[in-house]
Amino acid sequence: MQVLHMNKGNGDTSYAKNSTVQSKIISVGKPIMKEAVLEMLCNNVIESMGIADLGCSSGPNSLSVISEIMDTVEAANRLLGRRMVSEYRVFLNDLYSNDFNNIFMSLPAFYDRLKEEKGLECESCFILGAPGSFYGRLFPTNSLHFVHSSSSLHWLSQVPAGLESNDLKRLNKGKLYISKSSPQSVVDAYLLQFRNDFSLFIKSRSRELVAGGRMVLSFMGRSSTDPTTENSCYQWELLAQAIMSLAREGRIEEEKLDSFNAPYYAPCTEEIKDEIQKEGSFTIGRLEAFEIDWDGGAVTDIHTPHGKLSVRRRVAKAIRAVVESMLETHFGIEPDVMDDLFIRYGDIVGTHLSKSRTKYINLVMALTKKW
């Protein structure tokens, strides 16, 4: 919780400037989100609608989901000729180290758009920050109607037990995450940590949501039950190769690579369903998988020299914006070495993508709190 955060500010390597993939993920999940909102409104008039965006991060994506939810509600109001929701209580959640200032500075413009585009006054929408880990309670009992989370639940609450950097056994040498060469004990440790975390997430939200409330969750997953498939872990495999190239030159300590394990897990649908069914508070309405390009599909001329260069730069910047805080803390990497690391990573990504168009698998699900 103290270390993980997206790169802050609006600079060249910031998350705000390098979140095209996350924007694409939000976009593909919009129909499922809108459907869930409308289903919730069908038989309910809500005086004050509690909405939580968990893992909101910062930058242009932070308020886009909230705007879409409100658009859906306001469209329903117009269609039915009456107000289904009188006011909105919006909670933006992320870890304590998140760049909340970036979000708060954008609120005046957001409120202006609410008035111009939706005819809503500031008095109808109350936006608050809710810092803390979503692996535990964040809100009062029965205070929420709709929970959204995108590109966040693949992050674990901690490095799986037994793989911490101070453990004397280096079970996953030369790797940052699960790989084809990882022993079964490493795979088992990651799965156990995911099960514990996701179960706690579901249990916490079941207390906070009203009966009939909805959740739409979107996060990186995999299409196979095998956790070593390329679409599950290969971005980490290539990053490990880039770090190892610097270690061979003595610019990064190889032992630090051996002791780093990413607090990340890309589950398959069976693993998700198991935990939801075991907890028992929710029914699954939709659970779908979408393929997402590593660069978010932003580059269309991928077969030209310029396109190939653009793809690898975009992918390198996108990954850097997400993982730099962890690498900096664990490896103690100086800025010039960090720059070199991600140049190398981009080159390795470019070589890989010229041979195989590996894609992320994004899982999107809609859940309903049981009555």
Side-chain angles (χ1 to χ4, degrees):
M1 284 194 291
Q2 287 74 35
V3 172
L4 178 61
H5 61 79
M6 307 300 102
N7 277 358
K8 300 179 181 182
N10 287 289
D12 187 53
T13 62
S14 68
Y15 179 80
K17 291 285 180 64
N18 297 284
S19 50
T20 303
V21 173
Q22 292 83 354
S23 177
K24 179 67 174 180
I25 287 169
I26 290 171
S27 178
V28 299
K30 278 180 184 178
I32 295 175
M33 182 187 69
K34 289 183 177 181
E35 180 182 273
V37 172
L38 290 173
E39 286 176 352
M40 184 188 66
L41 293 175
C42 275
N43 300 309
N44 297 286
V45 175
I46 301 171
E47 181 66 26
S48 180
M49 183 175 177
I51 304 167
D53 188 17
L54 307 182
C56 65
S57 192
S58 60
N61 297 332
S62 299
L63 294 167
S64 64
V65 171
I66 301 304
S67 183
E68 287 290 336
I69 293 170
M70 295 174 72
D71 279 345
T72 303
V73 174
E74 293 303 311
N77 287 341
R78 291 190 295 272
L79 182 65
L80 296 172
R82 60 192 175 94
R83 293 208 65 81
M84 305 294 290
V85 173
S86 299
E87 67 180 20
Y88 301 90
R89 291 174 289 112
V90 177
F91 302 96
L92 302 176
N93 158 261
D94 212 309
L95 295 176
Y96 301 106
S97 53
N98 183 57
D99 191 358
F100 282 102
N101 282 342
N102 181 283
I103 303 175
F104 297 153
M105 290 292 287
S106 69
L107 286 179
F110 180 76
Y111 284 126
D112 287 342
R113 288 196 302 275
L114 286 185
K115 187 171 183 178
E116 292 170 10
E117 298 172 9
K118 302 177 181 60
L120 291 174
E121 300 293 339
C122 292
E123 292 81 2
S124 300
C125 180
F126 304 91
I127 300 179
L128 301 94
S133 171
F134 49 51
Y135 293 122
R137 290 290 301 276
L138 288 164
F139 309 105
T141 301
N142 297 331
S143 61
L144 300 177
H145 298 86
F146 194 87
V147 169
H148 175 269
S149 181
S150 183
S151 299
S152 296
L153 276 162
H154 45 253
W155 294 110
L156 302 173
S157 66
Q158 63 174 64
V159 172
L163 303 181
E164 297 93 336
S165 60
N166 60 352
D167 198 301
L168 294 177
K169 297 174 291 183
R170 302 302 187 216
L171 300 176
N172 207 23
K173 287 177 67 66
K175 305 298 178 181
L176 302 174
Y177 179 58
I178 297 169
S179 73
K180 292 289 186 184
S181 64
S182 297
Q184 187 61 41
S185 59
V186 170
V187 177
D188 293 343
Y190 269 100
L191 176 56
L192 179 60
Q193 188 64 51
F194 169 76
R195 284 177 170 166
N196 290 340
D197 283 347
F198 192 62
S199 175
L200 181 55
F201 176 90
I202 294 294
K203 187 179 298 182
S204 299
R205 304 295 82 78
S206 73
R207 298 285 302 280
E208 297 163 352
L209 275 160
V210 300
R214 298 311 201 265
M215 279 204 298
V216 173
L217 310 177
S218 174
F219 50 98
M220 297 298 187
R222 63 182 195 269
S223 55
S224 166
T225 56
D226 178 5
T228 68
T229 54
E230 280 196 355
N231 60 31
S232 167
C233 63
Y234 214 63
Q235 70 274 27
W236 294 105
E237 184 80 9
L238 300 183
L239 184 56
Q241 291 177 23
I243 293 174
M244 182 60 80
S245 72
L246 289 174
R248 285 194 291 267
E249 297 172 9
R251 301 175 69 191
I252 289 178
E253 294 177 41
E254 185 172 340
E255 168 144 352
K256 288 190 175 181
L257 172 58
D258 295 338
S259 64
F260 183 96
N261 293 280
Y264 173 98
Y265 188 74
C268 62
T269 55
E270 291 83 358
E271 291 164 351
I272 293 168
K273 288 178 180 177
D274 283 349
E275 295 310 316
I276 293 170
Q277 290 166 358
K278 277 193 292 185
E279 196 280 329
S281 296
F282 292 89
T283 57
I284 303 173
R286 297 274 294 272
L287 177 50
E288 298 188 21
F290 300 91
E291 288 190 336
I292 306 291
D293 289 311
W294 277 12
D295 71 327
V299 180
T300 55
D301 57 338
I302 58 174
H303 299 297
T304 67
H306 177 268
K308 291 176 181 178
L309 178 63
S310 183
V311 167
R312 69 177 187 240
R313 283 178 175 172
R314 281 180 173 274
V315 174
K317 284 185 175 182
I319 295 295
R320 179 174 182 172
V322 172
V323 305
E324 184 167 2
S325 64
M326 290 185 293
L327 299 183
E328 187 177 48
T329 300
H330 183 82
F331 291 95
I333 302 177
E334 296 295 327
D336 61 326
V337 179
M338 191 73 76
D339 291 341
D340 193 9
L341 169 62
F342 281 97
I343 290 172
R344 295 184 187 207
Y345 179 63
D347 291 342
I348 293 170
V349 165
T351 301
H352 170 71
L353 291 181
S354 67
K355 301 173 184 175
S356 170
R357 289 298 293 174
T358 306
K359 298 176 184 283
Y360 296 123
I361 299 298
N362 187 65
L363 303 178
V364 184
M365 72 198 72
L367 308 176
T368 302
K369 171 75 181 300
K370 294 178 180 178
W371 293 96

mmCIF file of all heavy atoms in Angstrom, residues 144-174:
data_model
loop_
_atom_site.group_PDB
_atom_site.id
_atom_site.type_symbol
_atom_site.label_atom_id
_atom_site.label_comp_id
_atom_site.label_asym_id
_atom_site.label_seq_id
_atom_site.Cartn_x
_atom_site.Cartn_y
_atom_site.Cartn_z
ATOM 1 N N LEU A 144 -24.059 1.932 -0.431
ATOM 2 C CA LEU A 144 -23.767 2.024 -1.856
ATOM 3 C C LEU A 144 -24.838 1.327 -2.694
ATOM 4 O O LEU A 144 -25.424 0.325 -2.272
ATOM 5 C CB LEU A 144 -22.409 1.385 -2.174
ATOM 6 C CG LEU A 144 -21.176 1.982 -1.483
ATOM 7 C CD1 LEU A 144 -19.937 1.182 -1.847
ATOM 8 C CD2 LEU A 144 -20.983 3.455 -1.853
ATOM 9 N N HIS A 145 -25.055 1.863 -3.895
ATOM 10 C CA HIS A 145 -25.966 1.243 -4.852
ATOM 11 C C HIS A 145 -25.219 0.654 -6.038
ATOM 12 O O HIS A 145 -25.677 -0.316 -6.649
ATOM 13 C CB HIS A 145 -26.978 2.267 -5.369
ATOM 14 C CG HIS A 145 -27.852 2.830 -4.305
ATOM 15 N ND1 HIS A 145 -27.489 3.916 -3.539
ATOM 16 C CD2 HIS A 145 -29.075 2.434 -3.852
ATOM 17 C CE1 HIS A 145 -28.447 4.185 -2.671
ATOM 18 N NE2 HIS A 145 -29.411 3.309 -2.836
ATOM 19 N N PHE A 146 -24.084 1.257 -6.375
ATOM 20 C CA PHE A 146 -23.339 0.808 -7.553
ATOM 21 C C PHE A 146 -21.841 0.911 -7.272
ATOM 22 O O PHE A 146 -21.355 1.947 -6.833
ATOM 23 C CB PHE A 146 -23.697 1.657 -8.774
ATOM 24 C CG PHE A 146 -23.249 1.056 -10.078
ATOM 25 C CD1 PHE A 146 -24.051 0.162 -10.752
ATOM 26 C CD2 PHE A 146 -22.013 1.379 -10.624
ATOM 27 C CE1 PHE A 146 -23.641 -0.408 -11.962
ATOM 28 C CE2 PHE A 146 -21.592 0.817 -11.817
ATOM 29 C CZ PHE A 146 -22.414 -0.080 -12.494
ATOM 30 N N VAL A 147 -21.131 -0.188 -7.550
ATOM 31 C CA VAL A 147 -19.673 -0.229 -7.385
ATOM 32 C C VAL A 147 -19.046 -0.565 -8.729
ATOM 33 O O VAL A 147 -19.489 -1.485 -9.427
ATOM 34 C CB VAL A 147 -19.258 -1.285 -6.342
ATOM 35 C CG1 VAL A 147 -17.747 -1.514 -6.373
ATOM 36 C CG2 VAL A 147 -19.685 -0.854 -4.947
ATOM 37 N N HIS A 148 -18.039 0.208 -9.081
ATOM 38 C CA HIS A 148 -17.302 -0.030 -10.321
ATOM 39 C C HIS A 148 -15.820 -0.130 -10.002
ATOM 40 O O HIS A 148 -15.296 0.576 -9.136
ATOM 41 C CB HIS A 148 -17.527 1.120 -11.313
ATOM 42 C CG HIS A 148 -16.704 0.998 -12.555
ATOM 43 N ND1 HIS A 148 -15.442 1.557 -12.669
ATOM 44 C CD2 HIS A 148 -16.945 0.366 -13.728
ATOM 45 C CE1 HIS A 148 -14.960 1.275 -13.866
ATOM 46 N NE2 HIS A 148 -15.842 0.563 -14.534
ATOM 47 N N SER A 149 -15.136 -1.035 -10.692
ATOM 48 C CA SER A 149 -13.680 -1.103 -10.575
ATOM 49 C C SER A 149 -13.116 -1.578 -11.900
ATOM 50 O O SER A 149 -13.578 -2.568 -12.470
ATOM 51 C CB SER A 149 -13.263 -2.074 -9.463
ATOM 52 O OG SER A 149 -11.846 -2.109 -9.352
ATOM 53 N N SER A 150 -12.135 -0.843 -12.413
ATOM 54 C CA SER A 150 -11.517 -1.195 -13.687
ATOM 55 C C SER A 150 -10.001 -1.160 -13.567
ATOM 56 O O SER A 150 -9.435 -0.229 -12.981
ATOM 57 C CB SER A 150 -11.974 -0.219 -14.788
ATOM 58 O OG SER A 150 -11.436 -0.578 -16.041
ATOM 59 N N SER A 151 -9.358 -2.193 -14.110
ATOM 60 C CA SER A 151 -7.881 -2.275 -14.167
ATOM 61 C C SER A 151 -7.239 -2.178 -12.786
ATOM 62 O O SER A 151 -6.178 -1.553 -12.638
ATOM 63 C CB SER A 151 -7.316 -1.177 -15.093
ATOM 64 O OG SER A 151 -7.805 -1.328 -16.399
ATOM 65 N N SER A 152 -7.870 -2.775 -11.797
ATOM 66 C CA SER A 152 -7.335 -2.671 -10.429
ATOM 67 C C SER A 152 -7.258 -4.005 -9.692
ATOM 68 O O SER A 152 -6.310 -4.247 -8.952
ATOM 69 C CB SER A 152 -8.200 -1.709 -9.597
ATOM 70 O OG SER A 152 -8.151 -0.409 -10.117
ATOM 71 N N LEU A 153 -8.242 -4.872 -9.883
ATOM 72 C CA LEU A 153 -8.312 -6.087 -9.069
ATOM 73 C C LEU A 153 -7.278 -7.144 -9.423
ATOM 74 O O LEU A 153 -7.165 -8.152 -8.726
ATOM 75 C CB LEU A 153 -9.715 -6.690 -9.140
ATOM 76 C CG LEU A 153 -10.710 -6.065 -8.166
ATOM 77 C CD1 LEU A 153 -12.138 -6.382 -8.576
ATOM 78 C CD2 LEU A 153 -10.439 -6.545 -6.753
ATOM 79 N N HIS A 154 -6.515 -6.933 -10.489
ATOM 80 C CA HIS A 154 -5.398 -7.845 -10.748
ATOM 81 C C HIS A 154 -4.209 -7.523 -9.837
ATOM 82 O O HIS A 154 -3.259 -8.306 -9.779
ATOM 83 C CB HIS A 154 -4.969 -7.822 -12.226
ATOM 84 C CG HIS A 154 -4.867 -6.462 -12.805
ATOM 85 N ND1 HIS A 154 -5.789 -5.961 -13.697
ATOM 86 C CD2 HIS A 154 -3.953 -5.475 -12.620
ATOM 87 C CE1 HIS A 154 -5.438 -4.732 -14.052
ATOM 88 N NE2 HIS A 154 -4.325 -4.418 -13.414
ATOM 89 N N TRP A 155 -4.266 -6.388 -9.135
ATOM 90 C CA TRP A 155 -3.223 -6.072 -8.154
ATOM 91 C C TRP A 155 -3.583 -6.709 -6.816
ATOM 92 O O TRP A 155 -4.671 -6.490 -6.285
ATOM 93 C CB TRP A 155 -3.053 -4.561 -7.988
ATOM 94 C CG TRP A 155 -2.530 -3.907 -9.220
ATOM 95 C CD1 TRP A 155 -3.197 -3.068 -10.064
ATOM 96 C CD2 TRP A 155 -1.211 -4.049 -9.769
ATOM 97 N NE1 TRP A 155 -2.377 -2.684 -11.101
ATOM 98 C CE2 TRP A 155 -1.164 -3.270 -10.948
ATOM 99 C CE3 TRP A 155 -0.080 -4.771 -9.368
ATOM 100 C CZ2 TRP A 155 -0.009 -3.195 -11.725
ATOM 101 C CZ3 TRP A 155 1.066 -4.687 -10.153
ATOM 102 C CH2 TRP A 155 1.092 -3.900 -11.308
ATOM 103 N N LEU A 156 -2.682 -7.490 -6.284
ATOM 104 C CA LEU A 156 -2.888 -8.163 -5.005
ATOM 105 C C LEU A 156 -2.610 -7.206 -3.844
ATOM 106 O O LEU A 156 -1.994 -6.159 -4.019
ATOM 107 C CB LEU A 156 -1.963 -9.376 -4.902
ATOM 108 C CG LEU A 156 -2.114 -10.439 -5.997
ATOM 109 C CD1 LEU A 156 -1.017 -11.496 -5.864
ATOM 110 C CD2 LEU A 156 -3.491 -11.084 -5.944
ATOM 111 N N SER A 157 -3.056 -7.600 -2.675
ATOM 112 C CA SER A 157 -2.818 -6.769 -1.488
ATOM 113 C C SER A 157 -1.357 -6.813 -1.055
ATOM 114 O O SER A 157 -0.893 -5.914 -0.354
ATOM 115 C CB SER A 157 -3.702 -7.233 -0.326
ATOM 116 O OG SER A 157 -3.328 -8.536 0.108
ATOM 117 N N GLN A 158 -0.641 -7.846 -1.473
ATOM 118 C CA GLN A 158 0.765 -8.005 -1.092
ATOM 119 C C GLN A 158 1.406 -9.053 -1.994
ATOM 120 O O GLN A 158 0.720 -9.762 -2.734
ATOM 121 C CB GLN A 158 0.882 -8.475 0.363
ATOM 122 C CG GLN A 158 0.246 -9.860 0.591
ATOM 123 C CD GLN A 158 0.471 -10.391 1.983
ATOM 124 O OE1 GLN A 158 -0.005 -9.800 2.948
ATOM 125 N NE2 GLN A 158 1.195 -11.487 2.104
ATOM 126 N N VAL A 159 2.723 -9.128 -1.947
ATOM 127 C CA VAL A 159 3.426 -10.233 -2.588
ATOM 128 C C VAL A 159 2.982 -11.516 -1.896
ATOM 129 O O VAL A 159 2.865 -11.553 -0.668
ATOM 130 C CB VAL A 159 4.953 -10.049 -2.463
ATOM 131 C CG1 VAL A 159 5.692 -11.285 -2.962
ATOM 132 C CG2 VAL A 159 5.398 -8.812 -3.231
ATOM 133 N N PRO A 160 2.683 -12.591 -2.639
ATOM 134 C CA PRO A 160 2.227 -13.830 -2.004
ATOM 135 C C PRO A 160 3.165 -14.297 -0.900
ATOM 136 O O PRO A 160 4.392 -14.181 -1.008
ATOM 137 C CB PRO A 160 2.200 -14.825 -3.169
ATOM 138 C CG PRO A 160 1.939 -13.981 -4.367
ATOM 139 C CD PRO A 160 2.687 -12.696 -4.115
ATOM 140 N N ALA A 161 2.580 -14.800 0.161
ATOM 141 C CA ALA A 161 3.353 -15.282 1.312
ATOM 142 C C ALA A 161 4.361 -16.338 0.867
ATOM 143 O O ALA A 161 4.050 -17.230 0.085
ATOM 144 C CB ALA A 161 2.412 -15.861 2.366
ATOM 145 N N GLY A 162 5.591 -16.217 1.399
ATOM 146 C CA GLY A 162 6.654 -17.142 1.041
ATOM 147 C C GLY A 162 7.518 -16.662 -0.102
ATOM 148 O O GLY A 162 8.582 -17.230 -0.366
ATOM 149 N N LEU A 163 7.070 -15.586 -0.805
ATOM 150 C CA LEU A 163 7.840 -15.053 -1.922
ATOM 151 C C LEU A 163 8.367 -13.656 -1.633
ATOM 152 O O LEU A 163 8.904 -12.993 -2.517
ATOM 153 C CB LEU A 163 6.973 -14.999 -3.188
ATOM 154 C CG LEU A 163 6.350 -16.307 -3.665
ATOM 155 C CD1 LEU A 163 5.556 -16.068 -4.941
ATOM 156 C CD2 LEU A 163 7.409 -17.372 -3.891
ATOM 157 N N GLU A 164 8.212 -13.173 -0.405
ATOM 158 C CA GLU A 164 8.626 -11.821 -0.072
ATOM 159 C C GLU A 164 10.124 -11.658 -0.297
ATOM 160 O O GLU A 164 10.899 -12.610 -0.239
ATOM 161 C CB GLU A 164 8.290 -11.481 1.392
ATOM 162 C CG GLU A 164 6.808 -11.502 1.714
ATOM 163 C CD GLU A 164 6.354 -12.852 2.246
ATOM 164 O OE1 GLU A 164 7.019 -13.869 1.944
ATOM 165 O OE2 GLU A 164 5.338 -12.875 2.959
ATOM 166 N N SER A 165 10.543 -10.412 -0.514
ATOM 167 C CA SER A 165 11.937 -10.136 -0.873
ATOM 168 C C SER A 165 12.917 -10.506 0.243
ATOM 169 O O SER A 165 14.087 -10.727 -0.020
ATOM 170 C CB SER A 165 12.104 -8.655 -1.230
ATOM 171 O OG SER A 165 11.754 -7.830 -0.145
ATOM 172 N N ASN A 166 12.441 -10.593 1.495
ATOM 173 C CA ASN A 166 13.347 -10.938 2.591
ATOM 174 C C ASN A 166 13.390 -12.442 2.855
ATOM 175 O O ASN A 166 14.035 -12.899 3.779
ATOM 176 C CB ASN A 166 12.953 -10.199 3.875
ATOM 177 C CG ASN A 166 11.538 -10.538 4.340
ATOM 178 O OD1 ASN A 166 10.798 -11.211 3.631
ATOM 179 N ND2 ASN A 166 11.177 -10.067 5.521
ATOM 180 N N ASP A 167 12.675 -13.232 2.054
ATOM 181 C CA ASP A 167 12.686 -14.678 2.206
ATOM 182 C C ASP A 167 14.019 -15.213 1.690
ATOM 183 O O ASP A 167 14.493 -14.833 0.619
ATOM 184 C CB ASP A 167 11.528 -15.302 1.428
ATOM 185 C CG ASP A 167 11.227 -16.720 1.898
ATOM 186 O OD1 ASP A 167 12.145 -17.551 1.814
ATOM 187 O OD2 ASP A 167 10.091 -16.975 2.334
ATOM 188 N N LEU A 168 14.632 -16.115 2.436
ATOM 189 C CA LEU A 168 15.944 -16.633 2.064
ATOM 190 C C LEU A 168 15.880 -17.511 0.817
ATOM 191 O O LEU A 168 16.852 -17.644 0.085
ATOM 192 C CB LEU A 168 16.545 -17.429 3.228
ATOM 193 C CG LEU A 168 16.886 -16.608 4.478
ATOM 194 C CD1 LEU A 168 17.406 -17.534 5.575
ATOM 195 C CD2 LEU A 168 17.913 -15.538 4.162
ATOM 196 N N LYS A 169 14.728 -18.132 0.569
ATOM 197 C CA LYS A 169 14.578 -19.008 -0.597
ATOM 198 C C LYS A 169 14.184 -18.172 -1.812
ATOM 199 O O LYS A 169 13.175 -17.473 -1.773
ATOM 200 C CB LYS A 169 13.517 -20.075 -0.336
ATOM 201 C CG LYS A 169 13.861 -21.022 0.802
ATOM 202 C CD LYS A 169 12.703 -21.955 1.092
ATOM 203 C CE LYS A 169 11.533 -21.192 1.697
ATOM 204 N NZ LYS A 169 10.408 -22.085 2.061
ATOM 205 N N ARG A 170 14.960 -18.244 -2.867
ATOM 206 C CA ARG A 170 14.633 -17.537 -4.097
ATOM 207 C C ARG A 170 13.964 -18.537 -5.035
ATOM 208 O O ARG A 170 14.603 -19.182 -5.850
ATOM 209 C CB ARG A 170 15.878 -16.941 -4.735
ATOM 210 C CG ARG A 170 16.647 -15.975 -3.842
ATOM 211 C CD ARG A 170 15.778 -14.813 -3.381
ATOM 212 N NE ARG A 170 16.549 -13.816 -2.661
ATOM 213 C CZ ARG A 170 16.101 -13.125 -1.640
ATOM 214 N NH1 ARG A 170 14.881 -13.362 -1.170
ATOM 215 N NH2 ARG A 170 16.841 -12.211 -1.037
ATOM 216 N N LEU A 171 12.663 -18.683 -4.892
ATOM 217 C CA LEU A 171 11.941 -19.723 -5.609
ATOM 218 C C LEU A 171 11.693 -19.379 -7.067
ATOM 219 O O LEU A 171 11.432 -20.256 -7.878
ATOM 220 C CB LEU A 171 10.589 -19.981 -4.921
ATOM 221 C CG LEU A 171 10.650 -20.447 -3.466
ATOM 222 C CD1 LEU A 171 9.236 -20.573 -2.898
ATOM 223 C CD2 LEU A 171 11.380 -21.785 -3.374
ATOM 224 N N ASN A 172 11.768 -18.093 -7.407
ATOM 225 C CA ASN A 172 11.381 -17.659 -8.748
ATOM 226 C C ASN A 172 12.517 -16.872 -9.397
ATOM 227 O O ASN A 172 12.322 -15.773 -9.918
ATOM 228 C CB ASN A 172 10.112 -16.799 -8.654
ATOM 229 C CG ASN A 172 9.274 -16.844 -9.910
ATOM 230 O OD1 ASN A 172 9.355 -17.772 -10.696
ATOM 231 N ND2 ASN A 172 8.459 -15.824 -10.102
ATOM 232 N N LYS A 173 13.725 -17.458 -9.379
ATOM 233 C CA LYS A 173 14.943 -16.766 -9.809
ATOM 234 C C LYS A 173 14.824 -16.273 -11.250
ATOM 235 O O LYS A 173 14.371 -16.982 -12.136
ATOM 236 C CB LYS A 173 16.147 -17.713 -9.691
ATOM 237 C CG LYS A 173 16.596 -17.977 -8.263
ATOM 238 C CD LYS A 173 17.741 -18.974 -8.228
ATOM 239 C CE LYS A 173 19.011 -18.441 -8.838
ATOM 240 N NZ LYS A 173 19.575 -17.320 -8.071
ATOM 241 N N GLY A 174 15.249 -15.013 -11.431
ATOM 242 C CA GLY A 174 15.305 -14.441 -12.762
ATOM 243 C C GLY A 174 13.966 -14.021 -13.333
ATOM 244 O O GLY A 174 13.885 -13.623 -14.501
#
